[in-house]
Amino acid sequence: MTSEVIIDVRPKDIAIALLEDKSLVEYQNEPRSASFSVGNIYVAKVRKLMPGLNACFVDVGFEKDAFLHYLDLGSQFNSYEKYLKQVQSDRKKLFPISKASRLPEMKKDGSVQTTLKVGQEVMVQIVKEPISTKGPRLTCELSFAGRYLVLIPFNDKVSVSSKVRKSEERTRLKQLIQSIKPKNFGVIVRTSAEGKRVAELDMELKILLKRWEDAITKVQKTTARPQVIFEETGRAVALLRDLFNPTYDGIYINDDEIFGQVKDYVGLIAPEKVNIVKKYTGQVPIFDNFNVTKQIKSAFGKTVNYKRGAYLIIEHTEALHVVDVNSGNRTRSENGQEANALEVNLGAADELARQLRLRDMGGIIVVDFIDMNLAEDRQLLYERMCKNMQKDRARHNILPLSKFGLMQITRQRVRPAMDVNVEETCPTCFGRGKIKSSILFTDQLESKIDQLVNKIGIKKFYLHVHPYVAAYINQGLMSLKRKWQLKYGLGINIVSSQKMAFLQYEIYDRKGNYIDMKEEIETK
């Protein structure tokens, strides 16, 4: 199986696609300005106590207050609180954590009223992003995640991932980490650490310790509250940290800055694979070049076609996701209705497992498969679904088919489900339902070119248009493109872009910066 990561960096957002055998299996899209990220650590103030919920709301500087339950304070909350006061008491010299005293663990049946008070400062970490009407979810059990290890302050325990099966390897890793970790720190050893040398693990441990020291130094030197003291690495690097596999065939990036960050990171964790990180320099948009745009438009939306006429209908409600499996207009199997139902359902299980990863659907998912009479067929479908979900990094649980032919799945929900609107708003009427004659579109483009060249003074630029429009502009020996180049200069480049709607256009300068030339008034 070939695996490739495609990173499309745009002026306002960054999109990351993971391809397995050229098929899109994971997709993330975030605004570049987004600072609300799982893993960020804040020093914040308690705003309101909720005794009935045994929880409180914490101001972390955003529109919605974050939710912190008493059980999420963690067993070492008292130790954190004492150390926080010690750090803040001396603004010049940092109190080392190795000298901090460990206080008794918190009682699990305690009350938030007796533990916290309004206005109290706490160190918190985001564990779940805002979803729908809910604010972010917090914890006071801080952790710093790396490729091989997770560092946990005020916890002396060393744990090894349960996916490391061999007992001798588990013992080796546990003894190794015990020998190199400092006092008052716990460590979780991740599955990817299996077989790694002490030098590699020690280097990552030092990196994680440096992150903790930088975070606590911010607490010591700043008084503004709320204050972010640790930010997760960039989206591209964070995704690679969890996804990276030495068997990757390539990581392609169209931005110099992100390319440098990713190359440095891969060089740190897998120096022998640094050459798989490649800068994409083609004129065709990177997602179009790797056939990602087309897959996004076909994989998202309410209806998803997957095999010889069969399709899924995916609906999202506040409480759960509902999936209906339909055989559509496919040809019936020669072996009868039962064989046909099994074939459609097995195909649906393959596509559904991909859709769960692709859309990052979480919470409760209910799937209405086509009814099957044979118990062995129902068991075969359940086993197929379980096998397909083994590639999924999110925690999940799958129940066998119920009497009504429904399969219930729960999947870890950390951030809102990815929702890509594949329906296109008319770019020339802005949704009003009236447009200029499409035959005048090239005249409109020429007026923009004239404005760019003769008024603004930009001689070289790239005009992105729909593939059909690009074909029309480029057709013939004396094409429109050639006429424009003779009239306005050879700096005019036409780029066919699949993400453009039919009468939509975008203009970029020679450095790839977007030039906004659109005016709503031009459609009136």
Side-chain angles (χ1 to χ4, degrees), residues 74-79 102-108:
S75 59
Q76 301 301 325
F77 179 74
N78 292 328
S79 301
R102 298 272 300 280
L103 298 180
E105 293 188 358
M106 293 267 289
K107 295 180 180 178
K108 291 186 178 180

Side-chain angles (χ1 to χ4, degrees), residues 74 118 138 142 144 149 198 203 239 334 353 400 432 495 511 522:
V118 174
L138 302 177
L142 309 184
F144 296 82
L149 308 172
V198 63
M203 182 174 67
L239 185 71
E334 296 178 359
R432 290 197 306 270
V495 179
K511 295 182 179 178
E522 70 192 20

Side-chain angles (χ1 to χ4, degrees), residues 368-386:
D368 182 12
F369 285 102
I370 296 173
D371 291 340
M372 296 184 294
N373 296 321
L374 299 179
E376 56 265 32
D377 287 349
R378 295 194 292 270
Q379 179 63 24
L380 187 63
L381 175 61
Y382 172 67
E383 291 173 357
R384 178 75 156 260
M385 195 72 212
C386 292

Side-chain angles (χ1 to χ4, degrees), residues 225-381:
R225 300 293 183 262
Q227 171 75 38
V228 58
I229 60 173
F230 170 74
E231 287 190 87
E232 264 289 0
T233 50
R235 200 62 211 120
V237 175
L239 185 71
L240 279 177
R241 184 191 64 205
D242 296 331
L243 283 180
F244 185 77
N245 189 312
T247 61
Y248 277 177
D249 296 277
I251 301 171
Y252 301 91
I253 308 155
N254 64 348
D255 179 82
D256 289 321
E257 182 184 352
I258 303 298
F259 170 74
Q261 291 177 11
V262 172
K263 190 160 189 175
D264 290 345
Y265 180 73
V266 174
L268 182 67
I269 63 171
E272 72 283 359
K273 301 294 289 184
V274 73
N275 291 330
I276 69 171
V277 184
K278 299 169 185 175
K279 174 74 165 50
Y280 177 76
T281 56
Q283 292 304 322
V284 177
I286 187 170
F287 271 10
D288 290 8
N289 185 69
F290 290 94
N291 197 35
V292 175
T293 306
K294 188 174 181 181
Q295 291 192 63
I296 290 173
K297 288 181 179 289
S298 63
F300 286 91
K302 180 178 175 180
T303 304
V304 179
N305 297 299
Y306 65 92
K307 193 176 183 180
R308 286 163 50 187
Y311 60 94
L312 304 177
I313 294 179
I314 302 175
E315 296 271 16
H316 172 57
T317 71
E318 182 70 21
L320 45 76
H321 297 271
V322 181
V323 182
D324 186 32
V325 179
N326 292 276
S327 59
N329 58 2
R330 59 177 279 117
T331 307
R332 301 295 178 189
S333 170
E334 296 178 359
N335 297 323
Q337 173 61 27
E338 183 73 13
N340 184 68
L342 177 61
E343 185 181 353
V344 172
N345 284 341
L346 291 178
D350 296 340
E351 180 60 28
L352 179 59
R354 172 177 172 251
Q355 287 288 331
L356 294 181
R357 291 175 66 189
L358 187 57
R359 302 185 187 215
D360 205 7
M361 293 160 61
I364 301 171
I365 300 108
V366 178
V367 190
D368 182 12
F369 285 102
I370 296 173
D371 291 340
M372 296 184 294
N373 296 321
L374 299 179
E376 56 265 32
D377 287 349
R378 295 194 292 270
Q379 179 63 24
L380 187 63
L381 175 61

Side-chain angles (χ1 to χ4, degrees), residues 164-175:
V164 179
R165 304 290 186 189
K166 297 177 182 177
S167 57
E168 58 270 23
E169 178 63 7
R170 295 178 62 86
T171 304
R172 182 188 78 88
L173 289 170
K174 198 165 188 175
Q175 290 176 347

